[in-house]
Amino acid sequence: MKKTLLTLTALALLTGSAEARTWEEIKRSGTIKIATEGAFPPFNMIKGKQLTGFEVDLAKELATQLGLKVQWVTQPFDNLLIGLNQDRYDFVIASHGITPERAKAVNFANPHYCTGGAIVTRPGGPMTAAALKGKKVAVQVGTTYLENVRKVPGVGDVKTFPKDTDAQAALMAGRVDAWVGDKFTGIDLVKAQKGKVIQGDMLFKESIAMAVKKGNSGLLKELNAALAKALTNGSYAKISSQYFGQDVRCK
Ligand code: LYS
């Protein structure tokens, strides 16, 4: 069953049919349509009724530089790249790690932050890859966390959840031994839970990038240029320090 689902997803990713909007068409319309998850604090989330977060603010900054208004679309994480290839929006900014498999289906921009997947557990729980042997681990479906946890030799039951916050909740409720998620998200969870959970080792590193439909090179070029500008004119540094208290760009 799991194998069938994966194959279908791969197929949907590879078979976008209609044409994506070109840069010229976007520019002419004056509005760019951007998709994100809206459930991955502090990167993209809904606060009150407002979509906010590091990636939301960064994308707004890029759009301003490009002289465009923004129309946001939120989608469950594992639908985002499929919707991109169905031309439901112009690009995705949703903390996608650049992986060879995803790069077959979409084009990635230059990375807008560097991070990794880290273990979080309750005190006394597994802190290293070796310690995950035989343990129950919670991860969000469709993510690099799932892909990498599956590779841990002897790992016990890997439980998948639609949202990252659901996977964290499973750890807090004691239904799993560990949660593997983004290292910055983990730092925030540890802080918020005041010692009820602790962060263990980082399992893997990843570079995070925006995605455009495969072949949409005009838009990709504009996004990369706007990102390069944000990285040098101080706007990226300001947004990053607001959300993380540090600069999270790839070094
Ligand atoms: N960075 C992870 C990935 O690339 C997950 C990010 C989104 C989690 N809500 O799959």
Side-chain angles (χ1 to χ4, degrees):
M1 182 63 188
K2 263 192 185 140
K3 271 220 169 104
T4 323
L5 277 178
L6 277 178
T7 317
L8 283 178
T9 309
L11 199 70
L13 285 172
L14 292 166
T15 53
S17 51
E19 286 297 301
R21 293 205 301 167
T22 62
W23 166 245
E24 286 73 25
E25 284 164 340
I26 297 166
K27 184 110 205 180
R28 214 175 308 133
S29 81
T31 302
I32 191 156
K33 220 170 161 182
I34 315 176
T36 192
E37 183 186 9
F40 193 47
F43 299 98
N44 57 77
M45 67 274 192
I46 307 218
K47 236 187 189 170
K49 281 189 176 153
Q50 209 63 30
L51 186 63
T52 182
F54 170 67
E55 291 180 303
V56 173
D57 286 2
L58 180 61
K60 280 187 193 159
E61 172 65 30
L62 303 185
T64 303
Q65 273 185 44
L66 296 171
L68 297 169
K69 286 196 197 120
V70 178
Q71 188 188 336
W72 286 102
V73 178
T74 54
Q75 292 270 303
F77 184 74
D78 60 340
N79 284 349
L80 280 162
L81 298 186
I82 296 169
L84 181 66
N85 277 347
Q86 293 169 340
D87 301 307
R88 287 199 254 144
Y89 24 80
D90 300 309
F91 77 91
V92 174
I93 183 163
S95 285
H96 283 90
I98 301 174
T99 67
E101 213 207 327
R102 287 173 180 164
K104 279 184 207 153
V106 299
N107 283 139
F108 282 109
N110 294 327
H112 60 273
Y113 73 97
C114 270
T115 186
I119 303 170
V120 174
T121 184
R122 292 179 304 277
M127 299 283 281
T128 61
L132 288 180
K133 200 167 172 202
K135 299 290 185 202
K136 244 191 224 175
V137 186
V139 287
Q140 184 184 13
V141 73
T143 61
T144 49
Y145 318 128
L146 173 60
E147 195 186 311
N148 284 278
V149 167
R150 275 198 182 135
K151 286 188 203 150
V152 172
V155 65
D157 201 4
V158 181
K159 294 209 167 295
T160 57
F161 294 84
K163 287 190 290 178
D164 201 53
T165 41
D166 301 331
Q168 292 171 25
L171 171 67
M172 297 313 303
R175 290 198 296 272
V176 292
D177 301 300
W179 157 66
V180 171
D182 182 78
K183 95 174 168 189
F184 295 111
T185 309
I187 292 172
D188 282 357
L189 183 69
V190 169
K191 255 193 231 154
Q193 295 297 332
K194 298 190 179 84
K196 275 192 236 141
V197 287
I198 44 172
Q199 196 162 43
D201 284 358
M202 197 145 102
L203 282 187
F204 65 99
K205 286 186 180 167
E206 61 179 351
S207 303
I208 306 293
M210 299 174 274
V212 301
K213 190 177 183 183
K214 193 135 202 140
N216 199 351
S217 50
L219 173 59
L220 192 65
K221 202 174 133 217
E222 296 296 330
L223 288 177
N224 278 332
L227 175 62
K229 204 164 164 199
L231 285 164
T232 50
N233 73 4
S235 54
Y236 179 99
K238 195 170 156 209
I239 300 168
S240 178
S241 97
Q242 185 189 327
Y243 284 98
F244 304 101
Q246 59 176 297
D247 197 310
V248 297
R249 78 182 67 195
C250 298
K251 276 152 200 141

